[in-house]
Amino acid sequence: MTSTQHLSLPAYDHHRGTGPTLVFLHYWGGSARTWELVVDRLPGRDTLAIDFRGWSRSNTLPGPYTLRQLADDTVAVLADAEIDDYVLVGHSMGGKVAQLVAATRPARLRGVVLVGSGPARPAAEITAEYREFLSHAYDTEESVAGARDTVLTATDLPARLKAQIGADSRAGAEAARTEWPLRGIAEDITEHARMISVPALVIAGEYDRVEPADVLRRNLLPYLSGAQFAVIANTGHLIPLEAPDDLVDAITAFAPAA
């Protein structure tokens, strides 16, 4: 694995192997290591996982931390890593970023996998009051633990992963921690989603309280032409950590190695 960190680009980890490259984009509060259990189950596959601007190893990069900036950063990282044949795999906030990147119709993009993704059209439940409440979810170690155990997951994760979630959630720059809940989560990108021309796979967690399957059916699928839809059983929102085997099976069936 090659770990790369620049002064002006987000940090990323690149495992070289057989393409097309799977490019992993993490959730709000996550990091590149959110995908480690998935990457570990893809031996020999070319993978790249990014620490978004404002998070983990990239938390000293200046803002803005908008969805558009994260999308532009993703394109810049792909150029820096010389990735020329790839599939975007975005989780939650990362799924919304993936939609923005795919909407530009990059010449070398093969497909997009949206895992518990932020939908193109915000759900009716995303009110101003809800967004203000959500913006404080990572304020303290106690609030992170509460969000992790009562909202983000539907399974009892090992202590190591619980600690990782806690550390990653608290590792974001303050402005990055609030950008998604206060603005990004409420951004309507339906016109961008309609422009996606590559095959798409939308994956929901059976017990996801953050982006329930019904919300993805109503607020995302209608804007993606001919997208496939799958529900992974017995998992909450943190599918890459709760159900990595099932997620790998779904990804590789959709985007097999060449």
Side-chain angles (χ1 to χ4, degrees):
M1 179 187 76
T2 301
S3 293
T4 303
Q5 192 161 6
H6 296 288
L7 292 177
S8 59
L9 281 181
Y12 63 89
D13 299 323
H14 188 190
H15 290 256
R16 298 187 183 276
T18 303
T21 306
L22 299 174
V23 179
F24 294 107
L25 308 177
H26 66 77
Y27 74 104
W28 173 63
S31 69
R33 65 177 180 167
T34 299
W35 298 100
E36 285 181 351
L37 296 179
V38 173
V39 171
D40 288 347
R41 288 162 171 76
L42 293 163
R45 188 70 186 260
D46 206 84
T47 65
L48 186 146
I50 300 173
D51 281 335
F52 277 138
R53 179 179 296 264
W55 294 98
S56 192
R57 294 169 298 175
S58 304
N59 67 0
T60 59
L61 291 180
Y65 304 106
T66 61
L67 293 175
R68 173 50 60 192
Q69 181 63 58
L70 302 186
D72 289 346
D73 284 343
T74 299
V75 173
V77 165
L78 291 172
D80 186 71
E82 299 181 340
I83 301 298
D84 60 4
D85 182 26
Y86 62 98
V87 173
L88 293 169
V89 185
H91 175 218
S92 195
M93 179 181 76
K96 209 161 181 179
V97 174
Q99 292 170 62
L100 290 177
V101 176
T104 67
R105 299 183 176 181
R108 297 178 177 88
L109 177 63
R110 292 271 199 104
V112 59
V113 181
L114 304 174
V115 183
S117 175
R121 179 166 63 88
E125 294 81 3
I126 307 300
T127 63
E129 294 76 15
Y130 172 79
R131 300 201 313 269
E132 176 63 28
F133 171 78
L134 186 63
S135 70
H136 297 288
Y138 298 157
D139 281 359
T140 66
E141 292 182 7
E142 292 74 19
S143 64
V144 170
R148 179 196 64 210
D149 296 339
T150 65
V151 179
L152 292 174
T153 60
T155 56
D156 187 22
L157 293 174
R160 176 183 67 83
L161 293 181
K162 287 184 176 182
Q164 174 183 310
I165 293 166
D168 283 349
S169 300
R170 297 282 294 147
E174 183 177 354
R177 291 206 311 269
T178 58
E179 175 63 33
W180 169 253
L182 293 181
R183 285 169 286 275
I185 197 173
E187 187 174 341
D188 189 320
I189 62 167
T190 53
E191 292 308 310
H192 296 276
R194 286 191 176 104
M195 296 175 66
I196 297 173
S197 58
V198 294
L201 169 64
V202 176
I203 298 174
E206 182 181 12
Y207 302 122
D208 191 334
R209 300 180 184 92
V210 179
E211 303 295 355
D214 287 347
V215 168
L216 298 183
R217 288 189 181 99
R218 291 194 310 266
N219 294 51
L220 179 55
L221 283 177
Y223 306 103
L224 300 170
S225 178
Q228 301 177 42
F229 186 70
V231 177
I232 293 182
N234 303 315
T235 185
H237 187 59
L238 298 190
I239 300 170
L241 298 173
E242 294 183 84
D245 289 308
D246 292 333
L247 182 55
V248 166
D249 288 346
I251 292 170
T252 55
F254 175 78

